[in-house]
Amino acid sequence: HCAGDLVCDGGVCGAAKVLALGSLCDPVEQDTGCGTMVCSWSDTVAAPICTAPGEIGAACMVMGGDCAADLTCKAGDPGTITGLCAKRSEVGETCQPSSAAASVWESCVPGAVCLSDGGAQPFAEGICAALAPLGAACATSIVCKGLDVWCAGGDLGATGVCSLLPGAGEACAPEPLPPAPPHMRCSVGLDCDPTSGLCSALALDPLAGEPCMGTCGGGLTCYGGLCTAPLGIGVECALGLGEAAGPCGAGLICNPILHVCAPACP
């Protein structure tokens, strides 16, 4: 990590470099280099570029990051990847995550989540509900506010209470449904030891198939909570964490049309 507004570039901390409009960018990086612009896919090019944030009514790609920060990309039909930038629904208003890869938070204002009768489900129309604080009643962990919080006693059809995830040396939280990586059963930075059933510190450099929180050893990439090898050119890839395939290797991007890894530059 770097101090203040500095960013890590090739292992060295320095001032952030702002790319020009239309420059190629990497939407996976925390700092895309686009400054006040957004790093988004375009339906006319095969790679993400820096572009002005879309306002209400502008064409966009679902989960593409095309819209202004207070807007969301709403698809005309569930499952489609294109739509229009629109206002996020307020608490109490109807909502509908527009794709299987789209976050259930995406269609609601910050601090709210889209809940249907079946919980937080892609495609299912629901109502935006405010995130619940510690001690509040809950039916699923996704409504609890905070990284280290889960719905103790919930997630299995019963009403639970938003509680802190177990700390070091404490028994791991029960396996959620659907199953999740072990690090999601303990406080941030901890892992569930499968032998003892207790929360313990994560390994510094987890290897292939092991749970991770951003760092992996052996040149691997942390993707979807697990260490995986970056994909090579021509290999099927994923545009979002909801897909099964992993991320492309250095210098490659996931072609949004063909869904295979391709060189970032023509």
Side-chain angles (χ1 to χ4, degrees):
H1 298 284
C2 297
D5 296 328
L6 300 181
V7 296
C8 185
D9 184 6
V12 178
C13 292
K17 300 175 183 178
V18 179
L19 299 172
L21 181 69
S23 298
L24 292 173
C25 54
D26 186 353
V28 177
E29 294 294 329
Q30 184 174 3
D31 179 12
T32 62
C34 293
T36 58
M37 296 179 289
V38 294
C39 181
S40 68
W41 295 101
S42 167
D43 57 3
T44 59
V45 296
I49 59 173
C50 292
T51 184
E55 299 299 331
I56 292 178
C60 56
M61 292 186 70
V62 174
M63 296 295 288
D66 301 339
C67 303
D70 58 339
L71 303 178
T72 185
C73 185
K74 289 190 176 181
D77 297 305
T80 58
I81 63 171
T82 59
L84 299 176
C85 293
K87 289 181 62 178
R88 296 173 184 246
S89 299
E90 300 285 344
V91 172
E93 294 180 344
T94 57
C95 53
Q96 183 174 13
S98 49
S99 80
S103 166
V104 291
W105 291 280
E106 183 192 54
S107 55
C108 299
V109 294
V113 62
C114 187
L115 293 180
S116 65
D117 291 340
Q121 302 290 335
F123 305 126
E125 184 174 286
I127 300 294
C128 287
L131 293 177
L134 281 173
C138 55
T140 175
S141 294
I142 204 167
V143 304
C144 296
K145 185 177 182 179
L147 293 176
D148 277 3
V149 181
W150 70 301
C151 185
D155 287 323
L156 294 174
T159 298
V161 176
C162 289
S163 310
L164 290 174
L165 279 166
E170 297 179 343
C172 307
E175 184 75 18
L177 295 176
H183 70 267
M184 294 181 66
R185 299 172 61 190
C186 299
S187 294
V188 174
L190 301 179
D191 194 356
C192 184
D193 187 321
T195 302
S196 66
L198 302 178
C199 294
S200 59
L202 279 168
L204 292 179
D205 293 308
L207 300 178
E210 296 180 345
C212 55
M213 296 189 70
T215 303
C216 293
L220 302 176
T221 299
C222 186
Y223 180 82
L226 296 176
C227 289
T228 182
L231 302 176
I233 189 169
V235 179
E236 182 181 359
C237 53
L239 296 175
L241 288 178
E243 300 182 35
C248 298
L252 303 177
I253 58 96
C254 188
N255 186 293
I257 299 174
L258 302 178
H259 283 222
V260 295
C261 294
C265 297

